[in-house]
Amino acid sequence: MLDSSGGWAPDSGGTVVGPLDLASRVDEALSVQADAFGLSPEEVGVRRNIVRRHASAPGVRALGATTARGRLAGFVYGMPNDRGHWWSSMVLPNLTREGNAGWLDDAFVITELHVHPDFQQRGIGRHLITALTDGAPHPRSLLSAVDEETPARALYRALGYRDLARRVHFPSAPRPYAVMGAWLPLRR
């Protein structure tokens, strides 16, 4: 829910995780991502087109955590990996160097997972990612995360993800990323 200053206020009624129509809620999802990840309005504009394109990709799956009042507190989406996708082409040299290029095959990629800061540390991110990957018809999952020791990286490790490549540089990202992979189902 919004507080009197127009910002997010924690909802004491809890959240419900369920299917998310990413195409129709792209702006709300990007607002959550901007607050969670510190994106500028320009970065949000670039990502809007990417998310809209992803929303119609074959095999894309999206879940949202919504409050009792219908506000999006967090979201996750992903899709089957395709070596022709931009992300795969960017991480392939790093994975190849580490002997992990085979992870790109028959994998489900977590494209984005974000929980608004007011709702973090409540298990929402864990619930979102495990629910999404539980329905994936693939033996493994991949994701990329900022290559720093963050709560997100700790969560991914707890779920069974391990580093497959580190110090991966994406053209528009100021910080390096790590590519992580896990066998499915994820650890509980």
Side-chain angles (χ1 to χ4, degrees):
M1 76 176 67
L2 294 175
D3 65 19
S4 59
S5 68
W8 280 86
D11 182 3
S12 61
T15 60
V16 175
V17 170
L20 176 68
D21 181 352
L22 191 57
S24 70
R25 294 184 80 177
V26 66
D27 288 327
E28 193 175 357
L30 287 171
S31 177
V32 169
Q33 184 176 3
D35 288 342
F37 211 58
L39 299 179
S40 70
E42 295 79 23
E43 291 171 307
V44 169
V46 169
R47 289 174 186 249
R48 182 174 292 109
N49 293 328
I50 294 168
V51 174
R52 283 187 176 140
R53 188 175 68 246
H54 286 166
S56 63
V60 72
R61 301 183 62 226
L63 296 175
T66 40
T67 68
R69 296 195 179 192
R71 300 283 183 191
L72 194 63
F75 75 99
V76 63
Y77 79 92
M79 64 188 82
N81 191 55
D82 181 329
R83 283 186 180 238
H85 290 163
W86 176 85
W87 183 84
S88 288
S89 68
M90 295 303 301
V91 302
L92 177 60
N94 301 77
L95 290 172
T96 300
R97 183 183 66 240
E98 299 297 328
N100 290 320
W103 273 82
L104 291 172
D105 300 319
D106 204 17
F108 188 80
V109 177
I110 303 301
T111 308
E112 300 290 349
L113 169 61
H114 299 284
V115 176
H116 190 278
D118 290 341
F119 293 89
Q120 292 176 2
Q121 302 299 316
R122 297 183 187 187
I124 294 171
R126 175 184 299 272
H127 189 167
L128 285 165
I129 194 171
T130 56
L132 189 72
T133 57
D134 280 352
H138 300 84
R140 54 189 165 207
S141 174
L142 294 168
L143 56 79
S144 53
V146 173
D147 195 2
E148 296 172 8
E149 294 309 312
T150 63
R153 290 282 301 276
L155 169 63
Y156 301 145
R157 284 192 187 101
L159 293 170
Y161 285 91
R162 65 179 178 88
D163 292 342
L164 301 174
R166 298 193 61 196
R167 313 295 300 163
V168 177
H169 293 275
F170 295 110
S172 62
R175 299 178 288 184
Y177 278 69
V179 176
M180 302 178 79
W183 292 101
L184 297 178
L186 295 177
R187 276 190 226 137
R188 296 304 198 265

